[in-house]
Amino acid sequence: RAKETGKARCVMYSPRHSSPTEDDISLEAAMFQAVREGEFVLHYQPIVDATTREIEGFETLMRWKHPTLGMVSPARFIPIAETNGLINLLGAWALKAACVQLRQFQEAAKRPLYISVNISPRQFRSDKFLEVLDDAISYSGLSGDQLVLEITEGTLMIDPAHAETILGKMAERRARIAIDDFGTGYSSLAYLKRFPISVLKIDRAFIRDLPASQKDGAICNAVLDLARHLSLSVVAEGVETEEQMAYMRERGCRYVQGYLTGKPMAANVAIAALTERHYEEVMRAEATKVVQ
Ligand code: C2E
Ligand code: MG
Ligand code: MG
Ligand code: MG
């Protein structure tokens, strides 16, 4: 199955939610076992400065090391976990583990970094969410401003009044909010005014065909312009080529994330990337196979 298909399942209008396949049902049964067996792991993808190529932070990406299927893509298992509620358990674990991991990254790098964690709609709406957040911050000893929480436009729009309350509480803790997959949701731009958002992550769909696609170029330019006027920072997702990197950098995009500057990698590889000079070679060598 193509990665694109997997991603499309996460959006609101997808028919997938109403009709789980047999494969999904057997995966679901295996997931509960997988939690007990500790088969879920976290990988980390560098978010780098487009000019200096220095690693500024990492996005935490969950992986399932299935004993026979190999690595299962989160595009497959996150929607299932979202349906059966397991996401609350997995998400709480990921948030806490990522915060603890960031401390080790910073010790290795000897400089401040940040950690970005994906929060699913169901997690965001859970009564326990703020408790989980506080627990992760206090247990790890991080300060809130080292944490970025990635949510989608859809998450904000399900219940904007509730979202406003939660985002306010996050801001009190100085955690930053990033809009993930920016531009692919169905929401209006008004929420950028209403909510305390710090980062826009331009979806890979708008980067993939750069620099050839004039339409994608126009969209990226418009987002960068908007972000400048609203004092938001921008991360270009899915940057795979030097040309894409140069295109975005020249138009004022400060941060990039993509296979060009580092695939998602295990924590020990991330530490090597932070401490070794030829880190790009280290990262390219560590491409991980993901089952789709
Ligand atoms: P996302 O948050 O938009 O994450 C970015 C995805 O793009 C990741 O896919 C990453 O591996 C992939 N990617 C990064 N750079 C490139 C590139 O240059 N080229 C290509 N082709 N792909 C690139 P991944 O790891 O398969 O994750 C898919 C989605 O699953 C994530 O999309 C996120 O929505 C969700 N997800 C992953 N981990 C978690 C988690 O811990 N919690 C929650 N709630 N969702 C998660
Ligand atoms: Mg993300
Ligand atoms: Mg994204
Ligand atoms: Mg994306």
Side-chain angles (χ1 to χ4, degrees):
R1 236 177 238 131
K3 187 160 245 173
E4 279 71 21
T5 322
K7 280 232 59 110
R9 273 179 229 147
C10 301
V11 297
M12 307 290 291
Y13 51 77
S14 168
R16 280 278 302 169
H17 290 290
S18 52
S19 54
T21 63
E22 261 176 60
D23 275 3
D24 284 349
I25 292 164
S26 59
L27 262 192
E28 168 163 19
M31 278 177 79
F32 287 94
Q33 171 96 13
V35 171
R36 287 192 297 270
E37 302 290 330
E39 290 168 14
F40 290 97
V41 295
L42 298 177
H43 279 193
Y44 300 90
Q45 185 177 30
I47 299 169
V48 312
D49 185 305
T51 305
T52 65
R53 296 198 181 216
E54 276 233 47
I55 298 175
E56 301 288 327
F58 290 90
E59 178 173 1
T60 308
L61 293 160
M62 205 182 288
R63 299 289 179 259
W64 178 4
K65 286 188 179 172
H66 190 283
T68 54
L69 295 176
M71 287 282 202
V72 183
S73 166
R76 280 203 77 187
F77 70 78
I78 295 282
I80 301 173
E82 182 75 10
T83 309
N84 66 20
L86 205 52
I87 192 66
N88 285 321
L89 184 80
L90 285 173
W93 161 72
L95 190 57
K96 194 166 181 172
C99 288
V100 170
Q101 188 59 63
L102 180 65
R103 298 221 38 180
Q104 202 193 350
F105 287 163
Q106 293 186 137
E107 276 159 32
K110 301 188 176 65
R111 61 192 171 87
L113 297 163
Y114 69 87
I115 194 83
S116 204
V117 182
N118 292 288
I119 305 296
S120 82
R122 183 153 175 178
Q123 256 181 295
F124 185 83
R125 286 167 54 76
S126 154
D127 295 340
K128 295 268 159 39
F129 180 63
L130 289 171
E131 252 173 73
V132 165
L133 180 63
D134 285 338
D135 182 45
I137 292 172
S138 64
Y139 182 85
S140 63
L142 287 187
S143 66
D145 61 3
Q146 292 174 290
L147 187 57
V148 175
L149 301 161
E150 299 192 7
I151 57 179
T152 61
E153 295 163 317
T155 298
L156 289 179
M157 301 323 281
I158 296 168
D159 183 351
H162 176 257
E164 194 165 19
T165 308
I166 301 294
L167 293 186
K169 305 266 187 203
M170 287 178 174
E172 280 170 24
R173 290 152 174 83
R174 298 196 300 143
R176 280 172 289 163
I177 311 300
I179 302 299
D180 204 354
D181 309 335
F182 184 73
T184 62
Y186 61 94
S187 53
S188 79
L189 290 175
Y191 76 91
L192 293 178
K193 182 172 139 188
R194 176 168 180 184
F195 301 123
I197 287 155
S198 305
V199 184
L200 301 181
K201 298 191 76 173
I202 301 182
D203 194 73
R204 184 166 73 86
F206 302 114
I207 307 295
R208 191 172 42 216
D209 301 324
L210 292 178
S213 165
Q214 289 187 11
K215 286 184 181 171
D216 290 324
I219 291 169
C220 288
N221 278 307
V223 173
L224 287 164
D225 208 37
L226 181 70
R228 225 171 348 258
H229 289 295
L230 295 173
S231 304
L232 304 173
S233 59
V234 176
V235 178
E237 294 194 283
V239 171
E240 295 185 353
T241 68
E242 290 291 346
E243 290 73 24
Q244 291 167 347
M245 169 113 138
Y247 185 96
M248 293 306 287
R249 182 183 59 235
E250 284 158 15
R251 284 157 187 81
C253 180
R254 178 111 188 250
Y255 304 105
V256 297
Q257 175 182 352
Y259 292 174
L260 177 69
T261 48
K263 292 195 171 183
M265 59 191 85
N268 62 317
V269 182
I271 288 174
L274 287 165
T275 52
E276 285 171 32
R277 254 203 287 156
H278 302 291
Y279 75 88
E280 285 181 32
E281 285 158 42
V282 176
M283 291 189 285
R284 284 205 189 99
E286 284 298 321
T288 45
K289 278 233 156 65
V290 175
V291 177
Q292 291 297 324

